[in-house]
Amino acid sequence: MISKHDIEYWKSRWDKREIHFHLINVNEILLRYEPKIKRSANIFVPLCGKSVDLAYLIKSGHKVVGIEAVLKPIEEFSKETMTLTKCSDGIWRNETAQLQIVNGDLFEAALPNLPFDVVYDRASVTVFHGDFQEKYLRHVFSLCAATCDYLLWSVTCESKRTFPPFCQDLVFLDDIFSSANFQLLDRKEIVCENAPLFNGSSGTIYWSYYRRN
């Protein structure tokens, strides 16, 4: 489960508007890869925040399930991007129910629409530290269909970090995905210097596109 301390940390980040990870436009990498996934896919977006990518995926004809531990970004998404209603089962849904957002613990919440055809993981793995990264990934793998695409945003850093985003070794990632029968199809590297994401230091973002057949 996600610790109470971690949830309070992210609540504080949203309250203080320390949300440089939030993009106001649809992610360019998603625009690049979305045409490669199956049509009308059942997509999972872990730790979704108030990402405008959710609305883009809906408008592209997909069904989307997000999960977010902090309530504030869900409410802000509903006000700013797409109107959601909190239903009797506690899940937030848009008018057509193509988008469903669960406010809860990723490891414990009951999710609708299982299993998922696609996982859109924009930096969720970077929230977790050490052994929890593998625990997180294996949990998400357990939610995936036998045939599944996984789009992953990860980072490597110049030095060891003590707060998010935590870094991932690419060999470590490829080995874990391979053990779950995912193959790497493509990878894009984005070098960031003096970036707010890394608190003024440098690091490298990697978008990795995996597929399990």
Side-chain angles (χ1 to χ4, degrees):
M1 62 180 293
I2 300 176
S3 71
K4 182 177 180 180
H5 176 270
D6 288 339
I7 293 175
E8 289 302 320
Y9 169 80
W10 288 106
K11 282 182 178 178
S12 175
R13 290 280 296 267
W14 281 98
D15 288 341
K16 295 176 182 178
R17 312 315 290 171
E18 295 176 355
I19 53 172
H20 53 263
F21 50 83
H22 173 70
L23 302 179
I24 61 174
N25 297 313
V26 176
N27 196 295
E28 292 183 5
I29 297 297
L30 180 59
L31 295 174
R32 172 179 175 176
Y33 286 115
E34 188 277 331
K36 299 179 184 294
I37 66 178
K38 66 181 287 188
R39 298 300 85 197
S40 302
N42 188 24
I43 301 178
F44 180 48
V45 185
L47 310 185
C48 60
K50 62 172 184 177
S51 174
V52 296
D53 296 344
L54 298 168
Y56 170 77
L57 290 168
I58 294 300
K59 292 174 183 176
S60 298
H62 304 292
K63 294 177 293 184
V64 178
V65 173
I67 186 163
E68 173 57 54
V70 181
L71 180 58
K72 183 182 286 288
I74 302 174
E75 294 176 332
E76 292 184 0
F77 178 89
S78 181
K79 292 177 182 177
E80 300 168 1
T81 306
M82 180 180 289
T83 301
L84 304 176
T85 300
K86 185 177 181 181
C87 301
S88 59
D89 59 1
I91 298 177
W92 295 71
R93 294 182 174 91
N94 73 329
E95 185 178 9
T96 63
Q98 279 182 276
L99 174 60
Q100 303 183 77
I101 300 180
V102 177
N103 177 214
D105 186 328
L106 168 71
F107 294 98
E108 297 186 343
L111 299 175
N113 291 7
L114 292 171
F116 299 110
D117 305 314
V118 177
V119 178
Y120 177 51
D121 186 338
R122 184 191 169 274
S124 296
V125 69
T126 72
V127 169
F128 300 100
H129 188 254
D131 293 342
F132 256 87
Q133 291 184 355
E134 180 171 356
K135 178 181 179 181
Y136 160 77
L137 287 169
R138 295 205 180 279
H139 177 69
V140 177
F141 293 160
S142 74
L143 309 176
C144 296
T147 299
C148 182
D149 286 5
Y150 200 122
L151 184 56
L152 176 71
W153 189 104
S154 64
V155 297
T156 60
C157 312
E158 288 185 337
S159 57
K160 189 174 181 180
R161 296 177 58 82
T162 57
F163 50 87
F166 296 112
C167 301
Q168 298 78 46
D169 178 79
L170 293 178
V171 174
F172 160 79
L173 290 175
D174 289 346
D175 285 348
I176 290 178
F177 275 85
S178 178
S179 72
N181 298 318
F182 284 89
Q183 294 182 327
L184 179 66
L185 300 184
D186 193 19
R187 176 168 283 148
K188 183 174 177 59
E189 174 183 329
I190 305 171
V191 178
C192 303
E193 297 182 357
N194 302 318
L197 177 67
F198 299 103
N199 296 93
S201 62
S202 299
T204 303
I205 295 170
Y206 289 94
W207 276 104
S208 303
Y209 184 19
Y210 297 93
R211 174 170 291 166
R212 178 164 72 185
N213 291 317

